[in-house]
Amino acid sequence: MYKGKAREWAALTIASLAGALLFLIATPALACDFRFSYERINAPMGTTGEVGVQVEKTHKRCTMDDPLDYQFEGEHIQILGESQWEKVDSRVYEKYLLVSLSSPGEGFLRISCTCSKEGYQEATLPILVTEGSKTWEAAWEGGYPYTAELDREIQSTVGEPELDKNSLTLGSLKLELPYIPEELRGYSESVRVFYTEEKKQIHPLLLVSEDFFLRFDQYLAL
């Protein structure tokens, strides 16, 4: 979980996301009202920014086993990190997600929960990811686009991906990914991977192609 870092990163790119930080989207009055800080997001692949989420509990006594058991999922977007829930009013909670737009197309960011009284509830933030940003372009051309506080070299390799469970092979390079993104399954075009190597262990940082921009630096312990 990030602690303020997302807000620093977001300052570089948040202007390219459509909307305003007004918590405009809400569900009808059920057990929980959900609000996002944008009406929609429309930005290029490779854009990183921060999305705020508010939850207002309409029941005086929450019936959920865990009062903050909310799930997040999305398409065409990666959730890189998130803050803790913070109570900002008597029954209002707020958190921020650090996100990265991962592939062109129509996607979404969704929050959901299951209430023992009201059942399943959700709210969805629409996302339109357009062709690559300058960040994507720099990475595709071979320049790692982020400032990394690492004491070892950042390398990159280009090749056609081969997958075996969570292993990715590009030519003579083989590395383990934290998970296999859907965008990579069945993909046969060239990709570029940025990585670091320490004590013969390879750590992926970024996987980029003409069709996706996938970050893994959030899994690297700096």
Side-chain angles (χ1 to χ4, degrees):
M1 296 183 181
Y2 76 85
K3 297 180 180 178
K5 185 182 291 186
R7 301 189 184 195
E8 297 172 11
W9 292 346
L12 301 176
T13 55
I14 203 71
S16 64
L17 302 181
L21 288 167
L22 298 175
F23 292 97
L24 296 170
I25 299 177
T27 59
L30 297 172
C32 295
D33 286 342
F34 301 123
R35 304 182 185 94
F36 290 103
S37 55
Y38 294 94
E39 289 184 324
R40 65 188 59 82
I41 290 176
N42 183 342
M45 174 175 64
T47 299
T48 299
E50 189 177 73
V51 175
V53 185
Q54 280 188 350
V55 175
E56 181 176 0
K57 293 180 174 292
T58 59
H59 290 163
K60 291 184 178 180
R61 292 187 178 181
C62 181
T63 61
M64 294 167 57
D65 292 337
D66 179 349
L68 295 175
D69 185 22
Y70 299 102
Q71 289 77 49
F72 292 94
E73 61 178 330
E75 289 185 1
H76 298 277
I77 189 172
Q78 284 183 289
I79 299 175
L80 305 180
E82 58 188 80
S83 66
Q84 298 282 354
W85 285 106
E86 179 182 356
K87 190 172 184 179
V88 295
D89 206 339
S90 59
R91 292 199 293 269
V92 179
Y93 295 82
E94 178 179 297
K95 77 156 50 189
Y96 289 85
L97 306 178
L98 177 64
V99 300
S100 177
L101 303 187
S102 57
S103 57
E106 294 185 5
F108 62 83
L109 177 64
R110 178 178 296 144
I111 180 174
S112 64
C113 73
T114 300
C115 172
S116 61
K117 288 186 177 181
E118 306 291 349
Y120 177 81
Q121 300 173 54
E122 67 175 39
T124 300
L125 172 65
I127 295 171
L128 177 61
V129 184
T130 57
E131 295 299 323
S133 62
K134 291 182 179 179
T135 302
W136 166 84
E137 183 178 0
W140 184 231
E141 292 179 354
Y144 187 65
Y146 303 110
T147 300
E149 298 176 359
L150 300 173
D151 58 0
R152 50 194 184 272
E153 180 184 5
I154 297 176
Q155 305 177 61
S156 75
T157 295
V158 177
E160 295 180 0
E162 297 181 14
L163 296 177
D164 180 15
K165 296 183 179 179
N166 277 19
S167 295
L168 170 66
T169 301
L170 294 180
S172 60
L173 176 69
K174 184 176 182 178
L175 51 82
E176 295 290 323
L177 297 177
Y179 69 98
I180 300 297
E182 288 301 317
E183 293 93 335
L184 191 55
R185 297 185 187 277
Y187 196 78
S188 59
E189 303 296 326
S190 291
V191 304
R192 180 184 293 277
V193 61
F194 291 88
Y195 62 95
T196 64
E197 188 171 359
E198 183 181 28
K199 297 180 180 179
K200 297 184 179 180
Q201 185 174 1
I202 299 174
H203 304 279
L205 299 175
L206 175 65
L207 191 62
V208 61
S209 75
E210 292 186 343
D211 300 296
F212 53 73
F213 185 96
L214 300 166
R215 293 181 61 171
F216 299 99
D217 55 319
Q218 68 271 29
Y219 297 103
L220 182 65
L222 299 178

